[in-house]
Amino acid sequence: MANMFVRSARVLHGGAMNENQHRVQHVDVAVVGGGAAGLSAGLVLARSLRSVVVIDAGEQRNLPAGHVHNFLTSEGWTPGEIVATGRAEVESYGGEVIVGRVVEAVAQEGDHPSFVLGLDDGRSVHARRVVIAAGATDRLPDVPGLAERWGRDVLHCPYCHGWEVRGRRIGVLATSPNALHQVGLFRQLSEHVTLVAGDVELDHHALMNLRVRGVDVVRETAAEVLVTDDRLSGVRLRGGEVLELDALVVAPFFEARADVATQLGLAVKELEM
Ligand SMILES: Cc1cc2nc3c(=O)[nH]c(=O)nc-3n(C[C@H](O)[C@H](O)[C@H](O)COP(=O)(O)OP(=O)(O)OC[C@H]3O[C@@H](n4cnc5c(N)ncnc54)[C@H](O)[C@@H]3O)c2cc1C
C-alpha cells in the first residue's frame, strides 16, 4: 500500500513544470489513444452518459497515407478528416478530447479501484476505468529509401490501397514466408507482380504455383528503393540490377504501443500473424 501511494504521488506531481502541474480531472473513463478505436469507444461511452476523456497524442498509424479506403461512408477521406470528425462526434455528446500523451499510469487498488494517468503537459486524469486504444507502430524493413515512401507507394494492405495500384508493376519484398500470401492477394489486382524473395526460405510448391500464375521471382535482396519525380520507380537489387516498379509491398512488424499497458502491469506477448 505504501508503495502504491508513492507511485500515485509521482503521477500527480510528475511531468513538465507549468500551470497544469497540479490540475487533476476526475472522469468515469479515460481512453488512451484517439484513433478510430479510441474515438469509437469515446463516442459509445459519452452516449452512455459516462463522463469520458479521450487522450490522444495524434500519431494515428495511417497518417502517412493520403486517403482512407474501405471505410464505408468515409471512402477516400484523408486520415486527418476522419480524426477531426470523430473528435467532433465525441465532443457533441459531452465527451472531451485532450491532445496530449499519457506518460505515466498507475492503478490504485482498494474498495474503489481507479487509475491515475499523468499527461505530458503536467496535468493528471483520475479515472474509474481506462480503455487502452493506443494502436500499433509499423516496423519496416531496413532498406534505404523505403520508409520515406511508406503509405504512399510502399504498401502493405491490398484492401486499403490495392485498387490504386491495380494493373501496375508491383514488387513484393519478402521478409518472411508470409510474403507468398501477399503475392497471392496482389496478383488478383495486377498481372505484373514480382516477388523479391532474397534469401527467405519459401515453400517450393507455392513458388511453382506463383510462377504458373505469371509471378516473377527474383532471388536477390533489395539494396535501395528508387524514386523519380516523387514517385517510386523501382528497386535496386544487391547485384546492381534495377527492377522497375510502380509500387512495393512489404509486411511490417506490428509493434503494440504498450507503454501505458506495461506501466499498469500488463505483459506484452508476441503473436505470430
Ligand atoms: C499506411 C497505412 C494505411 C492504412 N490505410 C487504411 C485504409 O485505407 N483503410 C483501413 O480500413 N485501414 C487502413 N489502415 C489501418 C488503420 O490505420 C488502422 O487499422 C487504424 O489506424 C487502427 O486504429 P487504432 O485506433 O487502433 O490506432 P491508431 O489509429 O494508430 O490510433 C492510436 C492513437 O493512440 C495514440 N497514442 C498511443 N499511445 C498514446 C499515449 N501514451 N497517450 C496518448 N495517445 C497515445 C497515438 O498517438 C494514436 O493517435 C492503414 C494502416 C497503415 C499503416
Side-chain angles (χ1 to χ4, degrees):
M1 183 63 80
N3 189 30
M4 237 168 55
F5 174 75
V6 171
R7 284 164 73 202
S8 58
R10 217 170 64 226
V11 169
L12 292 172
H13 299 291
M17 293 292 291
N18 59 31
E19 72 277 8
N20 289 317
Q21 192 69 22
H22 299 291
R23 209 179 130 198
V24 184
Q25 190 172 349
H26 291 261
V27 288
D28 289 326
V29 187
V31 181
V32 182
L39 289 170
S40 299
L43 180 62
V44 173
L45 288 159
R47 282 176 49 82
S48 303
L49 303 184
R50 304 295 113 176
S51 57
V52 58
V53 60
V54 178
I55 307 155
D56 183 36
E59 294 163 345
Q60 285 78 14
R61 207 182 132 221
N62 58 350
L63 280 184
H67 301 94
V68 176
H69 298 287
N70 284 345
F71 196 162
L72 198 63
T73 72
S74 310
E75 175 58 30
W77 288 23
T78 66
E81 284 171 332
I82 290 184
V83 170
T85 305
R87 286 180 178 178
E89 288 177 356
V90 171
E91 286 166 348
S92 73
Y93 289 98
E96 186 184 348
V97 178
I98 295 177
V99 178
R101 184 180 298 280
V102 175
V103 290
E104 199 160 12
V106 174
Q108 295 186 316
E109 290 166 22
D111 290 344
H112 302 287
S114 61
F115 300 86
V116 182
L117 304 180
L119 274 61
D120 55 357
D121 66 0
R123 76 180 111 168
S124 299
V125 174
H126 190 147
R128 289 173 51 225
R129 297 288 183 271
V130 168
V131 174
I132 299 178
T137 51
D138 297 279
R139 215 189 305 148
L140 298 168
D142 185 15
V143 177
L146 186 146
E148 291 84 341
R149 306 302 304 176
W150 173 235
R152 302 173 70 189
D153 31 32
V154 171
L155 313 169
H156 73 303
C157 167
Y159 307 108
C160 303
H161 303 106
W163 194 88
E164 280 64 36
V165 295
R166 68 197 184 286
R168 312 297 294 273
R169 298 166 302 178
I170 301 171
V172 177
L173 186 66
T175 46
S176 81
N178 283 341
L180 293 174
H181 180 60
Q182 282 184 308
V183 170
L185 293 173
F186 277 91
R187 176 62 187 82
Q188 293 173 18
L189 298 161
S190 175
E191 292 179 355
H192 313 290
V193 176
T194 303
L195 174 63
V196 183
D199 45 19
V200 174
E201 226 169 90
L202 297 168
D203 178 74
H204 177 67
H205 292 289
L207 277 178
M208 292 235 302
N209 275 340
L210 290 184
R211 287 196 168 107
V212 168
R213 293 179 65 196
V215 173
D216 287 332
V217 179
V218 176
R219 268 295 177 193
E220 272 203 76
T221 46
E224 185 189 3
V225 168
L226 303 173
V227 177
T228 309
D229 294 335
D230 199 26
R231 278 173 182 272
L232 184 146
S233 54
V235 161
R236 189 186 310 284
L237 302 171
R238 285 259 175 256
E241 191 193 337
V242 170
L243 195 61
E244 292 187 358
L245 298 170
D246 301 304
L248 184 65
V249 173
V250 299
F253 180 81
F254 304 135
E255 196 160 22
R257 292 195 188 102
D259 320 20
V260 172
T262 50
Q263 286 184 43
L264 292 176
L266 299 172
V268 178
K269 202 172 162 187
E270 280 207 8
L271 284 180
E272 188 131 352
M273 291 183 73

